[in-house]
Amino acid sequence: VMTDHYIQRRRPAADLLAPRAEPDSYEYRGEVALYYPPQLESTPENELYLALAQVQQGANLASGIPRLERAIEQHRPTRPDIYYELARAYARTSNFAAVVRWCEEALSRDGTFVPALKELATAAMKTGRLADAARALEKAVALGPNDGYAQADLGNVYLQQGITAKALLDFQRAEALFSGIGDPYLAAKATHNLGYTYLLDGD
């Protein structure tokens, strides 16, 4: 049986009901370590895997990006997704020249790799290379005609280029695709862009 004396000695000094400041973020930042097994055999595939893990969630970009870049340059993988993931990591740092470079490396291994086409288009738009963005998105749409996001992005590129006739078609297709999958928010965004394009077109 605990006595009053026992309880008093172990009562915390702090006020447990006092308001506490919440941290800004619970996201981990730092090196990504293996959970199980604690070590992997040193092979090219494992080196690429471990380097890739450092950048995929954006937790260790400062040291992860050069590590993945070194692993790629050393082992020259044939899979396009490895190069694409490096491009995505560079996109998080707003280094769009590097994004373009590594997306092009991915596409040189597989010209039909749609994620790299879309990432390349985004980087091209960020740097004002609208013609390059349009070419990449045109190919992405041709390869994935049911991709409403690519369709809407292509409409935005055409709109920025002042090619309203093409922009209208793409926004109409995006609206239909988003409505078809039951996403009213994205469908409404496409409808808004469609209306804005009609406005610019004087209709």
Side-chain angles (χ1 to χ4, degrees), residues 90-120:
Y90 270 119
R92 290 190 175 102
T93 68
S94 299
N95 186 341
F96 299 114
V99 175
V100 169
R101 176 194 170 190
W102 291 106
C103 281
E104 288 175 344
E105 289 280 355
L107 292 166
S108 71
R109 280 136 183 98
D110 182 356
T112 65
F113 190 65
V114 171
L117 286 167
K118 292 167 69 173
E119 194 71 49
L120 176 62

PDB file of all heavy atoms in Angstrom, residues 90-120:
ATOM      1  N   TYR A  90      16.112  16.796 -56.660  1.00  0.00           N
ATOM      2  CA  TYR A  90      16.581  18.138 -57.036  1.00  0.00           C
ATOM      3  C   TYR A  90      15.425  19.120 -57.130  1.00  0.00           C
ATOM      4  O   TYR A  90      15.579  20.314 -56.844  1.00  0.00           O
ATOM      5  CB  TYR A  90      17.339  18.078 -58.362  1.00  0.00           C
ATOM      6  CG  TYR A  90      18.821  17.834 -58.203  1.00  0.00           C
ATOM      7  CD1 TYR A  90      19.432  16.706 -58.743  1.00  0.00           C
ATOM      8  CD2 TYR A  90      19.629  18.742 -57.517  1.00  0.00           C
ATOM      9  CE1 TYR A  90      20.798  16.486 -58.594  1.00  0.00           C
ATOM     10  CE2 TYR A  90      20.990  18.529 -57.367  1.00  0.00           C
ATOM     11  CZ  TYR A  90      21.570  17.403 -57.908  1.00  0.00           C
ATOM     12  OH  TYR A  90      22.922  17.202 -57.759  1.00  0.00           O
ATOM     13  N   ALA A  91      14.241  18.636 -57.531  1.00  0.00           N
ATOM     14  CA  ALA A  91      13.076  19.524 -57.608  1.00  0.00           C
ATOM     15  C   ALA A  91      12.722  20.080 -56.233  1.00  0.00           C
ATOM     16  O   ALA A  91      12.286  21.233 -56.112  1.00  0.00           O
ATOM     17  CB  ALA A  91      11.883  18.774 -58.201  1.00  0.00           C
ATOM     18  N   ARG A  92      12.936  19.275 -55.192  1.00  0.00           N
ATOM     19  CA  ARG A  92      12.651  19.741 -53.823  1.00  0.00           C
ATOM     20  C   ARG A  92      13.591  20.867 -53.410  1.00  0.00           C
ATOM     21  O   ARG A  92      13.289  21.619 -52.478  1.00  0.00           O
ATOM     22  CB  ARG A  92      12.766  18.582 -52.835  1.00  0.00           C
ATOM     23  CG  ARG A  92      11.664  17.541 -52.959  1.00  0.00           C
ATOM     24  CD  ARG A  92      11.738  16.568 -51.788  1.00  0.00           C
ATOM     25  NE  ARG A  92      10.643  15.613 -51.791  1.00  0.00           N
ATOM     26  CZ  ARG A  92      10.744  14.361 -52.201  1.00  0.00           C
ATOM     27  NH1 ARG A  92      11.897  13.899 -52.642  1.00  0.00           N
ATOM     28  NH2 ARG A  92       9.704  13.547 -52.162  1.00  0.00           N
ATOM     29  N   THR A  93      14.744  20.972 -54.068  1.00  0.00           N
ATOM     30  CA  THR A  93      15.691  22.053 -53.756  1.00  0.00           C
ATOM     31  C   THR A  93      15.602  23.193 -54.765  1.00  0.00           C
ATOM     32  O   THR A  93      16.412  24.113 -54.728  1.00  0.00           O
ATOM     33  CB  THR A  93      17.136  21.508 -53.737  1.00  0.00           C
ATOM     34  OG1 THR A  93      17.519  21.143 -55.067  1.00  0.00           O
ATOM     35  CG2 THR A  93      17.259  20.310 -52.819  1.00  0.00           C
ATOM     36  N   SER A  94      14.632  23.108 -55.688  1.00  0.00           N
ATOM     37  CA  SER A  94      14.412  24.123 -56.733  1.00  0.00           C
ATOM     38  C   SER A  94      15.592  24.258 -57.683  1.00  0.00           C
ATOM     39  O   SER A  94      15.792  25.323 -58.282  1.00  0.00           O
ATOM     40  CB  SER A  94      14.085  25.489 -56.103  1.00  0.00           C
ATOM     41  OG  SER A  94      12.902  25.406 -55.337  1.00  0.00           O
ATOM     42  N   ASN A  95      16.376  23.191 -57.839  1.00  0.00           N
ATOM     43  CA  ASN A  95      17.475  23.175 -58.816  1.00  0.00           C
ATOM     44  C   ASN A  95      16.913  22.587 -60.114  1.00  0.00           C
ATOM     45  O   ASN A  95      17.082  21.407 -60.414  1.00  0.00           O
ATOM     46  CB  ASN A  95      18.644  22.341 -58.296  1.00  0.00           C
ATOM     47  CG  ASN A  95      19.856  22.414 -59.211  1.00  0.00           C
ATOM     48  OD1 ASN A  95      19.766  22.785 -60.379  1.00  0.00           O
ATOM     49  ND2 ASN A  95      21.013  22.039 -58.682  1.00  0.00           N
ATOM     50  N   PHE A  96      16.250  23.446 -60.894  1.00  0.00           N
ATOM     51  CA  PHE A  96      15.499  22.946 -62.047  1.00  0.00           C
ATOM     52  C   PHE A  96      16.398  22.558 -63.217  1.00  0.00           C
ATOM     53  O   PHE A  96      16.022  21.707 -64.021  1.00  0.00           O
ATOM     54  CB  PHE A  96      14.456  23.975 -62.463  1.00  0.00           C
ATOM     55  CG  PHE A  96      13.452  24.248 -61.377  1.00  0.00           C
ATOM     56  CD1 PHE A  96      13.390  25.491 -60.761  1.00  0.00           C
ATOM     57  CD2 PHE A  96      12.598  23.247 -60.948  1.00  0.00           C
ATOM     58  CE1 PHE A  96      12.475  25.728 -59.749  1.00  0.00           C
ATOM     59  CE2 PHE A  96      11.684  23.470 -59.925  1.00  0.00           C
ATOM     60  CZ  PHE A  96      11.623  24.724 -59.328  1.00  0.00           C
ATOM     61  N   ALA A  97      17.583  23.133 -63.295  1.00  0.00           N
ATOM     62  CA  ALA A  97      18.524  22.705 -64.331  1.00  0.00           C
ATOM     63  C   ALA A  97      18.918  21.249 -64.109  1.00  0.00           C
ATOM     64  O   ALA A  97      19.003  20.456 -65.061  1.00  0.00           O
ATOM     65  CB  ALA A  97      19.758  23.605 -64.338  1.00  0.00           C
ATOM     66  N   ALA A  98      19.143  20.879 -62.839  1.00  0.00           N
ATOM     67  CA  ALA A  98      19.479  19.490 -62.525  1.00  0.00           C
ATOM     68  C   ALA A  98      18.281  18.579 -62.753  1.00  0.00           C
ATOM     69  O   ALA A  98      18.440  17.430 -63.191  1.00  0.00           O
ATOM     70  CB  ALA A  98      19.969  19.380 -61.083  1.00  0.00           C
ATOM     71  N   VAL A  99      17.075  19.079 -62.487  1.00  0.00           N
ATOM     72  CA  VAL A  99      15.867  18.284 -62.747  1.00  0.00           C
ATOM     73  C   VAL A  99      15.793  17.925 -64.223  1.00  0.00           C
ATOM     74  O   VAL A  99      15.563  16.771 -64.590  1.00  0.00           O
ATOM     75  CB  VAL A  99      14.600  19.055 -62.321  1.00  0.00           C
ATOM     76  CG1 VAL A  99      13.349  18.274 -62.718  1.00  0.00           C
ATOM     77  CG2 VAL A  99      14.600  19.333 -60.823  1.00  0.00           C
ATOM     78  N   VAL A 100      16.012  18.924 -65.084  1.00  0.00           N
ATOM     79  CA  VAL A 100      15.965  18.684 -66.530  1.00  0.00           C
ATOM     80  C   VAL A 100      17.022  17.660 -66.927  1.00  0.00           C
ATOM     81  O   VAL A 100      16.749  16.711 -67.678  1.00  0.00           O
ATOM     82  CB  VAL A 100      16.165  20.009 -67.303  1.00  0.00           C
ATOM     83  CG1 VAL A 100      16.381  19.741 -68.796  1.00  0.00           C
ATOM     84  CG2 VAL A 100      14.973  20.931 -67.096  1.00  0.00           C
ATOM     85  N   ARG A 101      18.238  17.826 -66.405  1.00  0.00           N
ATOM     86  CA  ARG A 101      19.325  16.921 -66.772  1.00  0.00           C
ATOM     87  C   ARG A 101      18.987  15.472 -66.447  1.00  0.00           C
ATOM     88  O   ARG A 101      19.140  14.573 -67.288  1.00  0.00           O
ATOM     89  CB  ARG A 101      20.611  17.326 -66.042  1.00  0.00           C
ATOM     90  CG  ARG A 101      21.752  16.350 -66.304  1.00  0.00           C
ATOM     91  CD  ARG A 101      22.906  16.523 -65.343  1.00  0.00           C
ATOM     92  NE  ARG A 101      23.857  15.419 -65.494  1.00  0.00           N
ATOM     93  CZ  ARG A 101      24.877  15.190 -64.667  1.00  0.00           C
ATOM     94  NH1 ARG A 101      25.080  15.989 -63.635  1.00  0.00           N
ATOM     95  NH2 ARG A 101      25.674  14.162 -64.868  1.00  0.00           N
ATOM     96  N   TRP A 102      18.492  15.231 -65.218  1.00  0.00           N
ATOM     97  CA  TRP A 102      18.286  13.855 -64.791  1.00  0.00           C
ATOM     98  C   TRP A 102      16.998  13.263 -65.361  1.00  0.00           C
ATOM     99  O   TRP A 102      16.909  12.048 -65.550  1.00  0.00           O
ATOM    100  CB  TRP A 102      18.358  13.754 -63.276  1.00  0.00           C
ATOM    101  CG  TRP A 102      19.767  14.003 -62.808  1.00  0.00           C
ATOM    102  CD1 TRP A 102      20.243  15.114 -62.183  1.00  0.00           C
ATOM    103  CD2 TRP A 102      20.885  13.136 -63.003  1.00  0.00           C
ATOM    104  NE1 TRP A 102      21.599  14.992 -61.961  1.00  0.00           N
ATOM    105  CE2 TRP A 102      22.019  13.794 -62.453  1.00  0.00           C
ATOM    106  CE3 TRP A 102      21.058  11.886 -63.580  1.00  0.00           C
ATOM    107  CZ2 TRP A 102      23.291  13.232 -62.471  1.00  0.00           C
ATOM    108  CZ3 TRP A 102      22.321  11.321 -63.593  1.00  0.00           C
ATOM    109  CH2 TRP A 102      23.420  11.983 -63.033  1.00  0.00           C
ATOM    110  N   CYS A 103      16.021  14.103 -65.655  1.00  0.00           N
ATOM    111  CA  CYS A 103      14.843  13.599 -66.372  1.00  0.00           C
ATOM    112  C   CYS A 103      15.231  13.166 -67.782  1.00  0.00           C
ATOM    113  O   CYS A 103      14.754  12.136 -68.280  1.00  0.00           O
ATOM    114  CB  CYS A 103      13.756  14.675 -66.435  1.00  0.00           C
ATOM    115  SG  CYS A 103      12.808  14.841 -64.912  1.00  0.00           S
ATOM    116  N   GLU A 104      16.090  13.948 -68.409  1.00  0.00           N
ATOM    117  CA  GLU A 104      16.553  13.572 -69.751  1.00  0.00           C
ATOM    118  C   GLU A 104      17.355  12.275 -69.708  1.00  0.00           C
ATOM    119  O   GLU A 104      17.280  11.454 -70.630  1.00  0.00           O
ATOM    120  CB  GLU A 104      17.361  14.715 -70.361  1.00  0.00           C
ATOM    121  CG  GLU A 104      16.478  15.892 -70.757  1.00  0.00           C
ATOM    122  CD  GLU A 104      17.267  17.101 -71.263  1.00  0.00           C
ATOM    123  OE1 GLU A 104      18.501  17.144 -71.035  1.00  0.00           O
ATOM    124  OE2 GLU A 104      16.653  17.993 -71.873  1.00  0.00           O
ATOM    125  N   GLU A 105      18.134  12.068 -68.627  1.00  0.00           N
ATOM    126  CA  GLU A 105      18.849  10.806 -68.461  1.00  0.00           C
ATOM    127  C   GLU A 105      17.861   9.643 -68.330  1.00  0.00           C
ATOM    128  O   GLU A 105      18.054   8.578 -68.917  1.00  0.00           O
ATOM    129  CB  GLU A 105      19.761  10.858 -67.229  1.00  0.00           C
ATOM    130  CG  GLU A 105      20.977  11.741 -67.374  1.00  0.00           C
ATOM    131  CD  GLU A 105      22.105  11.060 -68.151  1.00  0.00           C
ATOM    132  OE1 GLU A 105      21.973   9.875 -68.499  1.00  0.00           O
ATOM    133  OE2 GLU A 105      23.113  11.730 -68.405  1.00  0.00           O
ATOM    134  N   ALA A 106      16.797   9.851 -67.566  1.00  0.00           N
ATOM    135  CA  ALA A 106      15.779   8.811 -67.412  1.00  0.00           C
ATOM    136  C   ALA A 106      15.128   8.502 -68.751  1.00  0.00           C
ATOM    137  O   ALA A 106      14.953   7.328 -69.116  1.00  0.00           O
ATOM    138  CB  ALA A 106      14.725   9.258 -66.397  1.00  0.00           C
ATOM    139  N   LEU A 107      14.803   9.544 -69.502  1.00  0.00           N
ATOM    140  CA  LEU A 107      14.113   9.351 -70.776  1.00  0.00           C
ATOM    141  C   LEU A 107      15.028   8.777 -71.849  1.00  0.00           C
ATOM    142  O   LEU A 107      14.551   8.156 -72.797  1.00  0.00           O
ATOM    143  CB  LEU A 107      13.516  10.683 -71.239  1.00  0.00           C
ATOM    144  CG  LEU A 107      12.355  11.182 -70.362  1.00  0.00           C
ATOM    145  CD1 LEU A 107      12.034  12.637 -70.657  1.00  0.00           C
ATOM    146  CD2 LEU A 107      11.128  10.309 -70.538  1.00  0.00           C
ATOM    147  N   SER A 108      16.344   8.962 -71.698  1.00  0.00           N
ATOM    148  CA  SER A 108      17.258   8.342 -72.655  1.00  0.00           C
ATOM    149  C   SER A 108      17.282   6.822 -72.481  1.00  0.00           C
ATOM    150  O   SER A 108      17.658   6.092 -73.398  1.00  0.00           O
ATOM    151  CB  SER A 108      18.673   8.908 -72.492  1.00  0.00           C
ATOM    152  OG  SER A 108      19.268   8.456 -71.284  1.00  0.00           O
ATOM    153  N   ARG A 109      16.861   6.361 -71.301  1.00  0.00           N
ATOM    154  CA  ARG A 109      16.778   4.922 -71.054  1.00  0.00           C
ATOM    155  C   ARG A 109      15.395   4.363 -71.383  1.00  0.00           C
ATOM    156  O   ARG A 109      15.265   3.211 -71.759  1.00  0.00           O
ATOM    157  CB  ARG A 109      17.145   4.620 -69.605  1.00  0.00           C
ATOM    158  CG  ARG A 109      18.667   4.603 -69.424  1.00  0.00           C
ATOM    159  CD  ARG A 109      19.125   5.319 -68.190  1.00  0.00           C
ATOM    160  NE  ARG A 109      20.584   5.309 -68.140  1.00  0.00           N
ATOM    161  CZ  ARG A 109      21.342   6.345 -68.556  1.00  0.00           C
ATOM    162  NH1 ARG A 109      20.783   7.439 -69.053  1.00  0.00           N
ATOM    163  NH2 ARG A 109      22.659   6.276 -68.482  1.00  0.00           N
ATOM    164  N   ASP A 110      14.376   5.197 -71.227  1.00  0.00           N
ATOM    165  CA  ASP A 110      13.014   4.799 -71.592  1.00  0.00           C
ATOM    166  C   ASP A 110      12.234   6.058 -71.941  1.00  0.00           C
ATOM    167  O   ASP A 110      11.783   6.788 -71.055  1.00  0.00           O
ATOM    168  CB  ASP A 110      12.342   4.046 -70.440  1.00  0.00           C
ATOM    169  CG  ASP A 110      10.938   3.571 -70.796  1.00  0.00           C
ATOM    170  OD1 ASP A 110      10.461   3.889 -71.910  1.00  0.00           O
ATOM    171  OD2 ASP A 110      10.315   2.886 -69.965  1.00  0.00           O
ATOM    172  N   GLY A 111      12.080   6.303 -73.225  1.00  0.00           N
ATOM    173  CA  GLY A 111      11.401   7.512 -73.681  1.00  0.00           C
ATOM    174  C   GLY A 111       9.918   7.539 -73.380  1.00  0.00           C
ATOM    175  O   GLY A 111       9.274   8.576 -73.564  1.00  0.00           O
ATOM    176  N   THR A 112       9.360   6.412 -72.917  1.00  0.00           N
ATOM    177  CA  THR A 112       7.935   6.354 -72.596  1.00  0.00           C
ATOM    178  C   THR A 112       7.675   6.425 -71.095  1.00  0.00           C
ATOM    179  O   THR A 112       6.551   6.163 -70.650  1.00  0.00           O
ATOM    180  CB  THR A 112       7.311   5.052 -73.152  1.00  0.00           C
ATOM    181  OG1 THR A 112       7.888   3.929 -72.481  1.00  0.00           O
ATOM    182  CG2 THR A 112       7.552   4.930 -74.645  1.00  0.00           C
ATOM    183  N   PHE A 113       8.691   6.782 -70.319  1.00  0.00           N
ATOM    184  CA  PHE A 113       8.535   6.836 -68.859  1.00  0.00           C
ATOM    185  C   PHE A 113       7.817   8.139 -68.499  1.00  0.00           C
ATOM    186  O   PHE A 113       8.427   9.203 -68.366  1.00  0.00           O
ATOM    187  CB  PHE A 113       9.898   6.733 -68.187  1.00  0.00           C
ATOM    188  CG  PHE A 113       9.824   6.535 -66.697  1.00  0.00           C
ATOM    189  CD1 PHE A 113       9.275   5.381 -66.162  1.00  0.00           C
ATOM    190  CD2 PHE A 113      10.310   7.488 -65.822  1.00  0.00           C
ATOM    191  CE1 PHE A 113       9.208   5.183 -64.786  1.00  0.00           C
ATOM    192  CE2 PHE A 113      10.260   7.308 -64.462  1.00  0.00           C
ATOM    193  CZ  PHE A 113       9.696   6.155 -63.934  1.00  0.00           C
ATOM    194  N   VAL A 114       6.503   8.049 -68.336  1.00  0.00           N
ATOM    195  CA  VAL A 114       5.650   9.235 -68.192  1.00  0.00           C
ATOM    196  C   VAL A 114       6.000  10.092 -66.967  1.00  0.00           C
ATOM    197  O   VAL A 114       5.995  11.325 -67.066  1.00  0.00           O
ATOM    198  CB  VAL A 114       4.165   8.823 -68.186  1.00  0.00           C
ATOM    199  CG1 VAL A 114       3.270  10.009 -67.827  1.00  0.00           C
ATOM    200  CG2 VAL A 114       3.778   8.266 -69.552  1.00  0.00           C
ATOM    201  N   PRO A 115       6.306   9.520 -65.786  1.00  0.00           N
ATOM    202  CA  PRO A 115       6.653  10.383 -64.648  1.00  0.00           C
ATOM    203  C   PRO A 115       7.807  11.342 -64.952  1.00  0.00           C
ATOM    204  O   PRO A 115       7.783  12.502 -64.534  1.00  0.00           O
ATOM    205  CB  PRO A 115       7.019   9.389 -63.543  1.00  0.00           C
ATOM    206  CG  PRO A 115       6.236   8.171 -63.878  1.00  0.00           C
ATOM    207  CD  PRO A 115       6.241   8.094 -65.373  1.00  0.00           C
ATOM    208  N   ALA A 116       8.813  10.875 -65.703  1.00  0.00           N
ATOM    209  CA  ALA A 116       9.941  11.747 -66.055  1.00  0.00           C
ATOM    210  C   ALA A 116       9.502  12.828 -67.044  1.00  0.00           C
ATOM    211  O   ALA A 116       9.961  13.976 -66.965  1.00  0.00           O
ATOM    212  CB  ALA A 116      11.090  10.932 -66.634  1.00  0.00           C
ATOM    213  N   LEU A 117       8.608  12.487 -67.959  1.00  0.00           N
ATOM    214  CA  LEU A 117       8.085  13.494 -68.899  1.00  0.00           C
ATOM    215  C   LEU A 117       7.356  14.601 -68.144  1.00  0.00           C
ATOM    216  O   LEU A 117       7.543  15.795 -68.426  1.00  0.00           O
ATOM    217  CB  LEU A 117       7.135  12.834 -69.900  1.00  0.00           C
ATOM    218  CG  LEU A 117       7.768  11.975 -70.986  1.00  0.00           C
ATOM    219  CD1 LEU A 117       6.705  11.135 -71.703  1.00  0.00           C
ATOM    220  CD2 LEU A 117       8.524  12.840 -71.994  1.00  0.00           C
ATOM    221  N   LYS A 118       6.553  14.227 -67.163  1.00  0.00           N
ATOM    222  CA  LYS A 118       5.787  15.221 -66.405  1.00  0.00           C
ATOM    223  C   LYS A 118       6.693  16.068 -65.508  1.00  0.00           C
ATOM    224  O   LYS A 118       6.497  17.280 -65.379  1.00  0.00           O
ATOM    225  CB  LYS A 118       4.703  14.515 -65.587  1.00  0.00           C
ATOM    226  CG  LYS A 118       3.619  13.909 -66.467  1.00  0.00           C
ATOM    227  CD  LYS A 118       2.710  12.956 -65.716  1.00  0.00           C
ATOM    228  CE  LYS A 118       1.843  13.652 -64.719  1.00  0.00           C
ATOM    229  NZ  LYS A 118       0.840  12.737 -64.119  1.00  0.00           N
ATOM    230  N   GLU A 119       7.700  15.426 -64.898  1.00  0.00           N
ATOM    231  CA  GLU A 119       8.641  16.179 -64.058  1.00  0.00           C
ATOM    232  C   GLU A 119       9.474  17.129 -64.913  1.00  0.00           C
ATOM    233  O   GLU A 119       9.750  18.272 -64.510  1.00  0.00           O
ATOM    234  CB  GLU A 119       9.545  15.215 -63.305  1.00  0.00           C
ATOM    235  CG  GLU A 119      10.334  15.845 -62.168  1.00  0.00           C
ATOM    236  CD  GLU A 119       9.457  16.228 -60.989  1.00  0.00           C
ATOM    237  OE1 GLU A 119       8.647  15.404 -60.537  1.00  0.00           O
ATOM    238  OE2 GLU A 119       9.596  17.382 -60.528  1.00  0.00           O
ATOM    239  N   LEU A 120       9.862  16.682 -66.088  1.00  0.00           N
ATOM    240  CA  LEU A 120      10.603  17.523 -67.023  1.00  0.00           C
ATOM    241  C   LEU A 120       9.766  18.726 -67.423  1.00  0.00           C
ATOM    242  O   LEU A 120      10.269  19.867 -67.483  1.00  0.00           O
ATOM    243  CB  LEU A 120      10.991  16.706 -68.258  1.00  0.00           C
ATOM    244  CG  LEU A 120      11.684  17.446 -69.398  1.00  0.00           C
ATOM    245  CD1 LEU A 120      13.009  18.036 -68.946  1.00  0.00           C
ATOM    246  CD2 LEU A 120      11.902  16.508 -70.585  1.00  0.00           C
TER     247      LEU A 120
END
